[in-house]
Amino acid sequence: MTLSRIRINPWQWSVAMGFNQAELVEGATRVLVCSGQTAMSAEGTPQHPGDMAAQVAMSLDNVEAVLAGAGMTLSNVVQMNIYTTDVDGFFAASGSMVERFDRAGVMPASTLLGISRLAFPELMVELEATAVA
């Protein structure tokens, strides 16, 4: 059986924001559940304090590194949880993330949560992905 992804959007407003309400996945043989990825260096040091756009980009870079470790890419992501200490700042900086998912040809189901802080106070965003292949 080949992998199929069916977009479920009873309402269309989320499509304009770059995500589906749900995705029905059939034929998957592997599921990767990623821990939250942040703007952390390979040495475990927070990067880009105060720069939401740079943190979003690096967090997504780190998601891609984890995916690559499992032989996957952004095109395999079916769900993304986004945690941020600044929802408005995230919306202003999220265009690059939407563009990267557009290039991958997917709009994963997503949840955005505003929180008071992350594990390190310098961090403003954390991305948690589920991918299938």
Side-chain angles (χ1 to χ4, degrees):
M1 180 179 225
T2 60
L3 179 70
S4 72
R5 294 169 61 151
I6 301 166
R7 297 175 176 188
I8 309 295
N9 288 303
W11 316 278
Q12 293 301 303
W13 62 263
S14 63
V15 174
M17 295 183 74
F19 70 95
N20 290 311
Q21 293 292 323
E23 289 201 358
L24 177 60
V25 178
E26 296 177 336
T29 58
R30 298 184 315 135
V31 176
L32 178 68
V33 179
C34 301
S35 292
Q37 300 299 309
T38 60
M40 296 288 272
S41 70
E43 296 74 33
T45 305
Q47 302 294 301
H48 313 294
D51 187 341
M52 179 66 82
Q55 286 200 12
V56 169
M58 186 171 189
S59 297
L60 197 54
D61 289 345
N62 289 343
V63 167
E64 287 193 277
V66 172
L67 291 166
M72 296 182 182
T73 68
L74 286 179
S75 67
N76 296 102
V77 175
V78 295
Q79 207 277 330
M80 175 77 70
N81 290 329
I82 304 158
Y83 305 91
T84 184
T85 59
D86 179 358
V87 172
D88 293 331
F90 175 80
F91 277 129
S94 66
S96 65
M97 187 169 87
V98 172
E99 288 172 12
R100 287 168 71 175
F101 277 113
D102 280 346
R103 284 194 303 274
V106 296
M107 293 190 313
S110 300
T111 298
L112 173 63
L113 297 168
I115 58 172
S116 61
R117 70 163 276 187
L118 290 162
F120 293 86
E122 306 92 330
L123 296 174
M124 298 179 289
V125 66
E126 185 163 342
L127 306 176
E128 187 179 78
T130 301
V132 298

